[in-house]
Amino acid sequence: MLENPSDTVTSPNRCLKDYKSCRFFVAEEKREGLEIFTSDEDAEEEVNFYPKINILEKVMDSECSYFQIIKTEKGLVAYCKVLRRILTESQASLCSTQWRKCPFKNLA
């Protein structure tokens, strides 16, 4: 422990003007797929989805910034970041075509 506050750890000269090169920098782990639902300390319940209604038959895209396609071992599923849940195929279709009129975007 330092007796007095010091910038020795975060000094630009020490980190070659790039904080990521500093040996004390810890990169944040990027999780993908269903990993975003697992190993989370504040997770309250297991996330389940039904392949017959949640697996997308075709790849969909949406201009909505809250729409995300996640690859699972059973296929592709759509995830809504506002609702924080996996969408059904019909909801994903609406999100793909009617994203400007989405009432949930106001909740973000």
Side-chain angles (χ1 to χ4, degrees), residues 74-85:
K74 295 182 181 181
L76 297 175
V77 294
Y79 178 76
C80 178
K81 295 177 185 177
V82 175
L83 298 175
R84 296 191 326 220
R85 68 175 179 84

Side-chain angles (χ1 to χ4, degrees), residues 31-40 46-49 55 68-79 85-86:
R31 296 183 285 165
E32 295 179 353
L34 290 179
E35 290 176 347
I36 61 175
F37 300 110
T38 58
S39 66
D40 199 359
E46 183 179 332
V47 174
N48 295 317
F49 66 93
I55 298 293
Q68 181 180 6
I69 295 291
I70 299 174
K71 183 178 180 181
T72 69
E73 62 276 351
K74 295 182 181 181
L76 297 175
V77 294
Y79 178 76
R85 68 175 179 84
I86 294 174

